[in-house]
Amino acid sequence: MGLMSSKIGRDELRPGDHIYTWRSGNSYSHHGIYVRDGKVIHLTRGPGLIIFSSSTQSSDDRVVCSNMEDFLCDGQLYRFEYGVSRFEFFIRRPGTCSLASSDPPEQVLHRAYYLLENGFGNYQLLNRNCEDFSIYCKTGFINTGRHGSFSGQISSLFSAINAVAIIPYRFLPASLIGLALVVCGLYCFLRLSNDAGRGNRDFDAVEVEKLADLSDAHNIREDMNMMENSTIRRFLRRVNYHSGGIVWTIRIWYWTPENTTLLWFK
């Protein structure tokens, strides 16, 4: 099996495996936990384009147990790899592996079945999606803050945006090779810092039996926000968390006089 692919056959599946399949022309992947007998437990969302859902949409955003055919939707089967090296982490496509170690299959299946009965909370593209659900089942790590995600697909997108935006262009190497190395290095650093295996003060190991209390508190905050703000404003506020650093960096590197900026490096 090559480093760039974790495609597997159904006969290679083991209960507790984190699996995924690419959809919409390989533009994004859908994740779930294989249990047994050709069944997959995964987080689904309501129909249409949904960035994040409210409590009124929770009936459409739920954890379900589907057969493999429905989960794959004619796509190919892949296995998410855990405990990979940093080298493998960087050369593989985001959303296919993690530095974090997986818990034993018994714990993974316990979390998956418990969440099947009790739910995982409302779907949120930016910090509680199907990949976050599967990573939680495998590791026990969950976002306990207002922002952030272990989803490799989401974190890589914001890492790429920030890597390009926060480069101090007036001090860039003159060559294109130097520019590429600086951008690539910053992107790798930002992507690595958001992985479940690196640790983050907003992410903690939470027992699945206590997850409902955490979700209830989160939903209460969401309902209060919905009463005060429109859906678009809430979405922009979430995006602003990830991109807020861009604004301040632009102010530092472009609005500060060059002689003042140079003093900071002396």
Side-chain angles (χ1 to χ4, degrees):
M1 182 184 303
L3 289 177
M4 299 301 293
S5 174
S6 295
K7 184 178 178 180
I8 60 174
R10 298 193 188 188
D11 57 334
E12 302 178 63
L13 284 173
R14 300 184 300 269
D17 277 350
H18 174 174
I19 60 176
Y20 62 95
T21 183
W22 293 103
R23 295 182 176 175
S24 298
N26 289 339
S27 60
Y28 75 96
S29 57
H30 183 58
H31 297 248
I33 299 296
Y34 176 74
V35 287
R36 55 178 59 89
D37 300 326
K39 300 293 184 181
V40 183
I41 295 179
H42 56 113
L43 176 66
T44 63
R45 63 175 178 82
L49 178 61
I50 297 179
I51 304 301
F52 55 91
S53 60
S54 65
S55 59
T56 59
Q57 297 169 311
S58 59
S59 60
D60 293 325
D61 302 331
R62 60 188 184 275
V63 179
V64 299
C65 184
S66 305
N67 58 47
M68 186 63 69
E69 288 72 20
D70 292 338
F71 175 81
L72 293 177
C73 292
D74 297 325
Q76 301 296 321
L77 176 63
Y78 297 85
R79 178 161 51 207
F80 194 100
E81 300 294 338
Y82 286 86
V84 301
S85 65
R86 291 190 180 183
F87 174 75
E88 185 175 352
F89 178 78
F90 288 130
I91 67 174
R92 293 175 63 115
R93 184 171 177 176
T96 63
C97 63
S98 174
L99 298 173
S101 299
S102 171
D103 289 333
E106 296 77 13
Q107 294 185 29
V108 177
L109 293 174
H110 170 68
R111 295 187 186 114
Y113 279 114
Y114 185 91
L115 295 177
L116 177 63
E117 296 295 328
N118 297 275
F120 189 61
N122 295 335
Y123 177 92
Q124 297 183 35
L125 177 63
L126 299 183
N127 63 1
R128 187 163 292 205
N129 53 47
C130 60
E131 187 178 343
D132 291 308
F133 166 81
S134 299
I135 291 176
Y136 173 74
C137 289
K138 292 288 286 186
T139 66
F141 287 111
I142 191 68
N143 174 24
T144 56
R146 292 185 58 192
H147 308 283
S149 172
F150 282 148
S151 171
Q153 300 174 90
I154 299 299
S155 64
S156 65
L157 174 62
F158 285 106
S159 295
I161 295 174
N162 281 281
V164 174
I166 69 179
I167 291 297
Y169 289 102
R170 64 176 65 161
F171 302 114
L172 277 177
S175 67
L176 292 177
I177 295 178
L179 172 61
L181 289 176
V182 171
V183 173
C184 181
L186 186 55
Y187 165 78
C188 290
F189 170 78
L190 293 173
R191 183 183 164 200
L192 182 65
S193 65
N194 288 320
D195 183 71
R198 292 293 296 170
N200 186 300
R201 62 188 178 90
D202 283 338
F203 299 99
D204 295 315
V206 179
E207 296 180 9
V208 69
E209 290 80 7
K210 298 180 180 180
L211 193 61
D213 296 334
L214 185 65
S215 297
D216 290 342
H218 179 81
N219 290 336
I220 290 175
R221 290 196 301 268
E222 289 299 312
D223 290 340
M224 292 177 64
N225 289 337
M226 185 176 61
M227 295 174 60
E228 298 174 357
N229 303 284
S230 67
T231 299
I232 295 178
R233 285 186 177 182
R234 284 191 293 139
F235 170 64
L236 292 177
R237 188 166 58 248
R238 292 176 185 276
V239 174
N240 183 62
Y241 167 79
H242 296 280
S243 59
I246 298 176
V247 176
W248 286 104
T249 304
I250 291 175
R251 291 186 62 182
I252 292 174
W253 294 112
Y254 298 99
W255 299 354
T256 303
E258 184 173 358
N259 57 344
T260 304
T261 305
L262 288 174
L263 289 177
W264 297 346
F265 290 90
K266 295 182 178 180

